[in-house]
Amino acid sequence: MPVGGFVVGDGQKAYPGKLTPFVLFTCVVAAMGGLIFGYDIGISGGVTSMPSFLRRFFPSVYRKQQEDATTNQYCQYDSPTLTLFTSSLYLAALVSSLVASTVTRKFGRRLSMLFGGILFCAGALINGFAKHVWMLIVGRILLGFGIGFANQVRQVDIIIFLLLLLSVYNDSVPLYLSEMAPYKYRGALNIGFQLSITIGILVAEVLNYFFAKIKGGWGWRLSLGGAVVPALIITLGSLVLPDTPNSMIERGQHEEAKTKLRRIRGVDDVSQEFDDLVAASKESQSIEHPWTNLLRRKYRPHLTMAIMIPFFQQLTGINVIMFYAPVLFNTIGFTTDASLMSAVVTGSVNVAATLVSIYGVDKWGRRFLFLEGGTQMLICQAVVAACIGAKFGVDGTPGELPKWYAIVVVTFICIYVAGFAWSWGPLGWLVPSEIFPLEIRSAAQSITVSVNMIFTFIIAQIFLTMLCHLKFGLFLVFAFFVVVMSIFVYIFLPETKGIPIEEMGQVWRSHWYWSRFVEDGEYGNGLEMGKSSNQGTKRV
Ligand code: BGC
């Protein structure tokens, strides 16, 4: 067993330590944060398409859907309260992720997690036992608040978990500072969080499929209440897990932090790692005025990416599928059962394609995936628009799709989801997380998260109304944005694959456009370039 911090290949540091139950358990609890987020994304569309749920909470939508044969097919689900049930969560998540980082800094990660877990439990229970629409919305808002808090479990915990799974573990756990993850694997390890989200979505879709079959029509209660399982794991986890050493160091409890570090690592000599953690903490606390910093000319490329990448990610239209797949399939004439089954199919493709991204991101590069995924999405959106337009025209005459037609539509939706899941899905989080230097990291990351949440909210809220008005043309609107974002990537986004985080400045300096903002020597050294490339601290 090596003693003290040492340098392994590619200048990466590793520290002595054992695979302790603490590390494993932390990773499981951390993965729950992604799972529960995914579960909440995937669950709402399924319950919304269950007739018993609609009859109870949204009787006017139910009537339009079931009884009124003359309703324009595109407008069946056009109800602002129905969409608020889905979208409210993202507004709450936005607010809480802004508050949660301050709470975490003051009270530690553990209390933050506990608080998040309790909010999750309360939200899931209120939803599961809901009697009125307001209970549904309040439940979703609580879940949204929980997301901001629970995600204070760092992404890096998942990175450690994946390192373990991939056997890169190697008798030493490269830690808290995720640039210690070998940069050659940085992309793959970072996508771990996205993977847990997609698994959460799939679990929700599978459960919806089975719960919808329950006689008596109360299966939706189990679907919504089911979120209590990961919520309890997070709550109990936060009671059992001790606070993390770096969270203690941030609050000045150095001795306690050292003792804890020894316990976590299972070895006595942790001084090297401890000193590095203290140095990293000092470094990040010495950053003044992160917000004004961000406005400086030399950070123009970063600020642009912090805003444009999450904006474009949502404008791919992916959440139309993730939130409303069953509703969409219902709209185009599938039965409830077939709609829920089709959502399971798209959800499985989402998970599988994320694995492809994990495999390829550090081999083929970010730009290749962005451009390939964009082209794939564009073709599919055009085909789906044409199929739906050909069948329902502009006035949405009600009717069912012939089987072969339905299969074509689902196939193209699956190819579209795959395109997203190996490009904008994971890269929409990975790329911002690897390009921000430390002195602007927290501010820039907050902007990325906020822009993402705001546009997730907007899409969730207006999609069904837009579908009613723009009809099949809605898919062409998203297709237009996919063209714009692909051109943007082609012209403005430099490749970041295989570049150590401390050398990231070079990609802007050598870029035809951004070089005019980032001058030679302006960019920092290794320390300045970001101690922690994790995307999870703020990520929801
Ligand atoms: C996006 C979510 C989306 C999910 C689908 C994430 O990267 O941020 O909005 O629902 O991917 O897998």
Side-chain angles (χ1 to χ4, degrees), residues 37 41 194 197-198 201 313-314 318-319 322-323 350 354 420-421 424-426 429 452-453 456 539-540:
F37 183 41
I41 291 175
Q194 175 75 10
I197 294 180
T198 57
I201 297 176
Q313 190 206 49
Q314 289 307 313
I318 185 64
N319 280 325
M322 293 303 140
F323 297 154
N350 194 20
T354 305
F420 174 87
W424 282 93
W429 296 105
N452 199 300
M453 287 303 114
T456 308
R539 173 156 182 206
V540 287

Side-chain angles (χ1 to χ4, degrees), residues 378-391:
L378 177 66
I379 296 171
C380 296
Q381 280 160 330
V383 173
V384 170
C387 287
I388 298 182
K391 179 74 180 92

